[in-house]
Amino acid sequence: MTQSDSQQSHQKLGLLWPSLLTLLGLAILIGLGTWQMGRKVEKDAIISRLHSRAEAAPVSLDEVIARSRDGDVEYTRVEVPGILHHEKERYLYAPHQGYGPGYDVFAPMRVGEKRYVWVNLGYVPERFKSPDTRPAGGGAEDRTIIGIVRLSAKQETFTPDNNVADNLWYWRDLAGMHASAFDPSKTDLVPFFIEAEPVAGGVPAAEWPKPGTSKVKIFNRHFEYALTWYGLALTLLGVYVAFVWHRLESRRTPE
């Protein structure tokens, strides 16, 4: 083998590992982008299904309970008559951008002899936290609620513990709220919350709680993520092409 052949062999070998690593990187990046596109399709289907549920005619509580035994019922629209017990309200810390510091009011509604469903009645500012400061007062209220089904939440990593003693809640703990207000062994708890929707035509400005202030938002940014991965793949390919071009130019330039 001549010295020139040896140099060319080494130069070719110098492209082997960069080429292999580039192919591996492209496979990973394109695979991640394709996976994100698949997640986008799945999320689109979920959002469409939830929107159709939230906009459908309300069904009875018994029907939702029956459906919950076989599948997912979250965001199903439901109509529930019963007796709200304002004296057992629980307060979820929920500052509002427009109204300021305040709480989402959760109250148990008796819907049977021993059966209760917890209802998110909406937002109240600090000054209207006590039910005695509101038109309904602090007792029982016969009322029909129309709203959507929401499930109990899980405590996130940086979410504080619920302060049961001071009735200050930071995440939707259905079992915890119920146990703090009733003897669970003597009551039948419906296994989900109901989030009340705004009354048709609006409510008087002085009426609290205000339902509908905590908007349900389901983000779908998977297309953006896919574009990011595909963009990185294109960038990697550009870098590789520039690297190969530089090597080829170096071979053509006499020493």
Side-chain angles (χ1 to χ4, degrees):
M1 180 181 291
T2 66
Q3 183 177 3
S4 176
D5 291 338
S6 177
Q7 288 177 344
Q8 291 180 7
S9 176
H10 280 87
Q11 287 172 342
K12 290 180 181 178
L13 184 63
L15 293 178
L16 177 61
W17 282 109
S19 298
L20 291 176
L21 291 174
T22 298
L23 287 174
L24 177 61
L26 287 173
I28 293 173
L29 293 171
I30 292 173
L32 288 170
T34 303
W35 175 71
Q36 288 292 347
M37 290 300 292
R39 291 286 295 128
K40 177 186 179 299
V41 172
E42 294 174 0
K43 186 65 73 66
D44 284 340
I46 293 172
I47 292 173
S48 176
R49 183 171 69 252
L50 296 184
H51 281 174
S52 65
R53 286 181 183 179
E55 295 168 2
V59 299
S60 69
L61 181 63
D62 287 338
E63 184 172 343
V64 179
I65 292 173
R67 291 181 188 178
S68 69
R69 299 188 184 104
D70 300 319
D72 176 30
V73 294
E74 191 162 24
Y75 302 104
T76 300
R77 199 159 173 249
V78 60
E79 182 173 1
V80 186
I83 300 175
L84 284 168
H85 288 271
H86 292 282
E87 75 279 5
K88 292 185 179 293
E89 287 179 354
R90 296 297 180 261
Y91 305 105
L92 179 75
Y93 182 65
H96 189 274
Q97 185 175 2
Y99 296 121
Y103 309 88
D104 278 348
V105 177
F106 286 77
M109 172 180 270
R110 185 162 62 85
V111 293
E113 184 178 353
K114 295 181 180 180
R115 175 178 284 183
Y116 290 87
V117 60
W118 282 80
V119 180
N120 179 358
L121 296 173
Y123 167 90
V124 293
E126 181 72 44
R127 66 185 183 279
F128 291 115
K129 180 180 178 182
S130 172
D132 294 331
T133 63
R134 299 181 242 130
E141 178 190 8
D142 195 348
R143 186 170 164 187
T144 296
I145 296 289
I146 298 178
I148 58 173
V149 171
R150 297 299 309 276
L151 303 182
S152 186
K154 294 182 179 179
Q155 184 179 14
E156 301 293 338
T157 304
F158 299 105
T159 303
D161 293 334
N162 289 324
N163 187 338
V164 179
D166 292 336
N167 193 7
L168 181 58
W169 305 77
Y170 295 99
W171 53 282
R172 299 192 316 273
D173 179 7
L174 176 58
M177 286 183 177
H178 189 71
S180 70
F182 300 97
D183 182 348
S185 66
K186 297 180 180 179
T187 54
D188 180 15
L189 174 62
V190 173
F192 48 75
F193 295 103
I194 295 175
E195 186 171 296
E197 64 183 38
V199 177
V203 295
E207 187 171 337
W208 302 95
K210 287 190 182 299
T213 56
S214 55
K215 301 294 184 182
V216 177
K217 295 180 180 179
I218 302 175
F219 295 99
N220 186 2
R221 302 183 63 184
H222 293 289
F223 183 66
E224 297 175 36
Y225 301 151
L227 289 181
T228 299
W229 291 121
Y230 289 144
L232 288 173
L234 189 61
T235 301
L236 176 61
L237 183 60
V239 170
Y240 175 74
V241 170
F243 172 78
V244 172
W245 180 83
H246 179 72
R247 282 294 179 93
L248 292 175
E249 284 296 306
S250 298
R251 288 175 59 183
R252 296 191 189 99
T253 303
E255 294 182 3

